[in-house]
Amino acid sequence: MKVFGKLEPQQRQNLLVLFTAGILFWSSMASLLPTLPGYVADLGGSKQQIGIVMGAFAIGLLVFRPWLGKLADRRSRKLVLIIGTTVAAIAPLGYLGFKSIPLLMLIRAFHGISIAAFTTAYSTLIVELSPVKHRGELIGYMSLTMPVGLAIGPAIGGFLVEYRGYTPLFILSASLGAIATLACSRIAECSPEVIADNVHKHATSRIPTLTLLGKILRDRALAIPTIVLLLYGLSFGAVSTFVPLFIEETQIDLNPGLFYTAAAIASFSIRLFVGKASDRYGRGVFISSSLVFYGLAMAILSQATDATATIIAAILEGGGSGILVPMMIALLSDRSSSAQRGQIFAICISGLDLGIAIAGPYLGTVAESLGYKGIFGVSAGVTFLGLAIFAILCNKTVENSFGFAIGKSEDAYAIEQL
């Protein structure tokens, strides 16, 4: 991690505060992963209703992320970051106050705003604090907050529910969000010169969100990553929603929290190396590898009958996520200008949000007819479809795309060359 020694003191301090806030935020989110589906089931929710409630999370993501991205570009990254952590502090208390399925859907949708705000501002701030030639490395290190939170949160959440019930769980989740808000308040804003420069850029190049969305969908450089994220989101939605219920249905002797913890450890471990390596070998080969890992994880889950196979799937799932998310952020950073990076992040990552939104109700219907194993079989096919699209269409020609996907060609769409 010698790269941190090359940064200015203010940059290092901001990154440290961001890292702390990130761990708190993701611990708050992850504490509900193995527990909230069971909470909805205990309130009388069917398999399909569980999927709908969990999938409603993405409604807040989809509706608010473009606006939050614009707000981050034009006003303040810090403001958007604080919006995210504040929602994370409020929403868990709503689960305590509302017991009906429709009201839980509303609270879950509101909770989705937290990730829309936090991830957009967090990613944009990291990119702006990172020298171009070390961008992948710093994104890799700073993205460790997610697997650390995903390792801590489910373990604590599962323990609290088992021994103390749901009320302490929701209070803990809210408290972690509140502490993250205090941490974010200590982030130093950009210098007046930088703010003035950004204002000048946006005064001459303000593009409405719908216009920018249309531009992105017509631009292969940004559209293909968005589509791949959408397909990945379908599979991720299956894992985040249905793994605990799958383990219960198949009577596998495994605490669901351990699945997420194993995945988080794998995600953490691989991010230590992938970011720096991508600065040298390119983003494409790592994105391809991540989709292979994730597809194999889904295939193994669809056939799993014991704890060993389930943990192997968790490790592959964590490794796939640990590579794909930071590499997609780095790829989008390479292909976008700083003046519109917040909006482009927000819209492109909305592909992931849409995938998660579709996953809950659609895969819940699949579960009704094929069971939870059928969900993961469908997810495997979807993930490998994303791999095929990326390998064929991720660059200007099929030949260049395949070369970039296996690490043999440079990114022809990169604005800032590494």
Side-chain angles (χ1 to χ4, degrees):
M1 300 187 182
K2 294 180 180 179
V3 64
F4 287 97
K6 302 176 182 178
L7 302 176
E8 296 295 326
Q10 188 65 66
Q11 289 177 307
R12 286 197 298 272
Q13 181 178 333
N14 277 339
L15 288 172
L16 178 60
V17 173
L18 275 172
F19 193 85
T20 302
I23 291 176
L24 292 165
F25 176 83
W26 287 113
S27 295
S28 171
M29 295 290 108
S31 66
L32 303 178
L33 272 179
T35 52
L36 197 56
Y39 179 69
V40 178
D42 288 349
L43 293 176
S46 66
K47 291 178 180 178
Q48 187 173 26
Q49 286 175 326
I50 291 169
I52 291 172
V53 170
M54 298 301 289
F57 190 84
I59 295 174
L61 287 168
L62 285 167
V63 173
F64 286 93
R65 198 191 283 273
W67 175 77
L68 289 163
K70 184 182 293 185
L71 183 66
D73 281 338
R74 296 183 179 179
R75 290 284 302 278
S76 168
R77 321 294 200 201
K78 177 179 176 179
L79 171 63
V80 175
L81 202 68
I82 290 176
I83 289 172
T85 55
T86 301
V87 173
I90 296 171
L93 301 179
Y95 298 122
L96 281 176
F98 301 103
K99 305 294 183 181
S100 70
I101 300 299
L103 289 176
L104 286 175
M105 288 175 57
L106 288 175
I107 293 298
R108 191 68 177 156
F110 172 70
H111 206 171
I113 298 173
S114 63
I115 285 188
F118 188 86
T119 55
T120 298
Y122 186 86
S123 299
T124 308
L125 278 168
I126 292 169
V127 170
E128 291 177 347
L129 291 168
S130 304
V132 174
K133 64 179 181 179
H134 297 299
R135 177 178 289 165
E137 183 178 2
L138 277 169
I139 289 174
Y141 292 148
M142 293 298 293
S143 69
L144 291 172
T145 58
M146 184 176 181
V148 170
L150 289 174
I152 296 171
I156 297 176
F159 175 83
L160 284 176
V161 169
E162 184 174 356
Y163 294 102
R164 292 290 184 270
Y166 288 105
T167 298
L169 166 70
F170 294 134
I171 292 174
L172 170 72
S173 181
S175 299
L176 291 172
I179 299 170
T181 301
L182 293 176
C184 290
S185 67
R186 297 183 60 83
I187 294 173
E189 293 280 16
C190 294
S191 67
E193 293 80 8
V194 173
I195 295 173
D197 182 55
N198 278 335
V199 170
H200 173 72
K201 287 177 180 177
H202 290 295
T204 58
S205 61
R206 292 191 177 187
I207 300 178
T209 299
L210 289 178
T211 302
L212 184 60
L213 175 60
K215 179 183 177 182
I216 287 173
L217 293 178
R218 292 191 301 270
D219 185 353
R220 182 188 289 190
L222 301 175
I224 296 305
T226 304
I227 292 170
V228 172
L229 284 170
L230 186 152
L231 296 173
Y232 161 72
L234 281 167
S235 295
F236 180 82
V239 171
S240 62
T241 301
F242 296 108
V243 162
L245 301 173
F246 158 75
I247 291 174
E248 180 181 351
E249 180 184 72
T250 53
Q251 297 183 335
I252 292 173
D253 185 17
L254 181 70
N255 184 326
L258 294 178
F259 178 94
Y260 296 109
T261 299
I265 292 171
S267 181
F268 177 92
S269 301
I270 206 159
R271 290 182 200 224
L272 288 171
F273 310 103
V274 166
K276 184 175 182 179
S278 75
D279 288 331
R280 180 175 180 181
Y281 300 107
R283 322 299 187 197
V285 65
F286 296 101
I287 293 173
S288 299
S289 300
S290 70
L291 294 168
V292 171
F293 290 163
Y294 215 91
L296 288 175
M298 297 300 99
I300 291 172
L301 271 180
S302 71
Q303 302 299 317
T305 57
D306 56 37
T308 300
T310 306
I311 288 296
I312 290 172
I315 292 170
L316 288 170
E317 190 273 338
S321 292
I323 300 171
L324 182 65
V325 174
M327 287 303 95
M328 278 297 190
I329 292 172
L331 184 71
L332 292 170
S333 301
D334 297 340
R335 295 179 174 187
S336 60
S337 65
S338 60
Q340 294 176 347
R341 189 164 283 145
Q343 282 183 274
I344 287 174
F345 274 8
I347 292 175
C348 291
I349 297 175
S350 289
L352 172 60
D353 305 338
L354 179 60
I356 296 172
I358 295 171
Y362 171 66
L363 294 177
T365 303
V366 171
E368 294 284 0
S369 56
L370 299 179
Y372 294 118
K373 286 192 174 185
I375 286 177
F376 298 116
V378 170
S379 298
V382 166
T383 304
F384 286 124
L385 173 62
L387 174 63
I389 290 172
F390 183 76
I392 295 171
L393 299 173
C394 67
N395 252 276
K396 291 187 176 181
T397 66
V398 173
E399 181 180 4
N400 185 231
S401 294
F402 186 74
F404 179 65
I406 63 173
K408 298 297 183 181
S409 299
E410 294 184 356
D411 186 5
Y413 289 125
I415 293 175
E416 299 179 5
Q417 298 294 334
L418 299 178

